[in-house]
Amino acid sequence: MPARILQQPTPELYPILGIEPRTPEGRNAVVAVVARDHNGQDLPADWSYSLAWFLDLYGSATEAGRLDGALAECATHMIALGTGEGEAAAPVEDIGYALWRCSPSPKLIGDLRRESLR
């Protein structure tokens, strides 16, 4: 796994390897993930969720703009899931998956709660 992380920095792998936020290793992880995001190549379809929770937990004020962009992408995706009606409605599995992808991020959860109370 450590070799794969060097080739394609994937946010989900850092916690598994025991790399903690607010440490030198955590900062190196942020730099690697942001560089991968900047290159935009070979990113999974649900990358914005990964980037959002990772920057929420590992990032600093330096990455605030990129975090806001990832949060906006997540919100756009979530809104799109809720716009259909009848047969055009998103399958419950897709909605559940999106909510599960949001769950590691306190910021994403807070944003969802605020929107649902409106």
Side-chain angles (χ1 to χ4, degrees), residues 22-64:
R22 315 287 184 259
T23 64
E25 295 84 10
R27 187 71 212 155
N28 291 338
V30 169
V31 169
V33 168
V34 167
R36 182 174 180 199
D37 180 61
H38 181 71
N39 290 337
Q41 296 177 7
D42 300 323
L43 298 178
D46 57 355
W47 177 257
S48 61
Y49 292 107
S50 297
L51 185 63
W53 74 257
F54 185 75
L55 291 179
D56 189 12
L57 298 176
Y58 282 73
S60 66
T62 305
E63 293 81 32

Side-chain angles (χ1 to χ4, degrees), residues 7-27:
Q7 294 169 351
Q8 287 190 314
T10 303
E12 288 79 8
L13 297 180
Y14 290 104
I16 292 170
L17 293 174
I19 295 174
E20 297 288 327
R22 315 287 184 259
T23 64
E25 295 84 10
R27 187 71 212 155

Side-chain angles (χ1 to χ4, degrees), residues 59-72:
S60 66
T62 305
E63 293 81 32
R66 196 167 299 256
L67 172 59
D68 290 342
L71 292 170

